[in-house]
Amino acid sequence: TTMAIAQGPPIDISCPVRSFCALVDQAGSASFQVNGSWRPTARTQSPLVNPRPISGIDCTSSRFCAVSTYDSTGLGGLIGWNGSRWRPLAANSAQLDVDCASPTFCVSAGAYNTIMVWDGQQQSVASVPSGGTLSAVSCPLPSFCRVVAAWGSVTTWDGTGWGAPSVVAPQVFNTKDIS
């Protein structure tokens, strides 16, 4: 298997099926593995629009991926892949991780204990009683999500609202991923 040359250190990878994976790097590039072969690296953002660092990727298929971005000023957004090109989906506050149950339901862990929910057309913002700065999100279903925050607290979405945080790993300062 031939590997694509990443433009920077790899940040995250998503493989929704065995025949397709997407890898993103700190330089804002993405590489796709299709049927065992890596495709050339492609930029997720135009270098002319002050690209933001990538913090995560999640794909539901080879026709939909979402990338979360952030910068040091607290800005960021969501970028989408439609199977042939990247396009901005939302630009608002920093988004530190993303997970998608479908192309019409993605949840991003944001700065300042916020969650951004993508509905296929726009993003809405919600506050989460997290017990710390959010760092990772997992949403296998629109009716079930979990976010993890600093100091090991986990908060659950049940499809109607966010519950109280539960401390599961108090000895851990910052957890990057949850699955």
Side-chain angles (χ1 to χ4, degrees), residues 43-140:
R43 303 261 331 144
T44 59
Q45 307 164 70
S46 167
L48 303 176
V49 295
N50 191 21
R52 294 189 169 101
I54 290 175
S55 52
I57 187 170
D58 193 50
C59 302
T60 60
S61 71
S62 62
R63 295 187 179 268
F64 182 80
C65 296
V67 167
S68 53
T69 67
Y70 71 97
D71 69 16
S72 61
T73 66
L75 297 176
L78 202 61
I79 302 167
W81 172 256
N82 67 8
S84 61
R85 67 179 182 91
W86 292 99
R87 68 179 178 96
L89 298 178
N92 40 44
S93 63
Q95 298 181 35
L96 308 175
D97 191 25
V98 62
D99 199 47
C100 303
S102 73
T104 59
F105 188 82
C106 294
V107 175
S108 300
Y112 315 113
N113 298 334
T114 59
I115 287 289
M116 275 71 74
V117 179
W118 172 255
D119 67 7
Q121 300 295 318
Q122 63 185 1
Q123 255 186 340
S124 58
V125 180
S127 292
V128 175
S130 66
T133 301
L134 302 178
S135 59
V137 61
S138 178
C139 288

Side-chain angles (χ1 to χ4, degrees), residues 4-7 21-25 29-33 38-42 86:
I5 298 172
Q7 303 298 306
C21 288
L23 177 137
V24 289
D25 65 31
S29 298
S31 299
F32 298 103
Q33 184 187 43
W38 286 93
R39 303 279 168 91
T41 301
W86 292 99

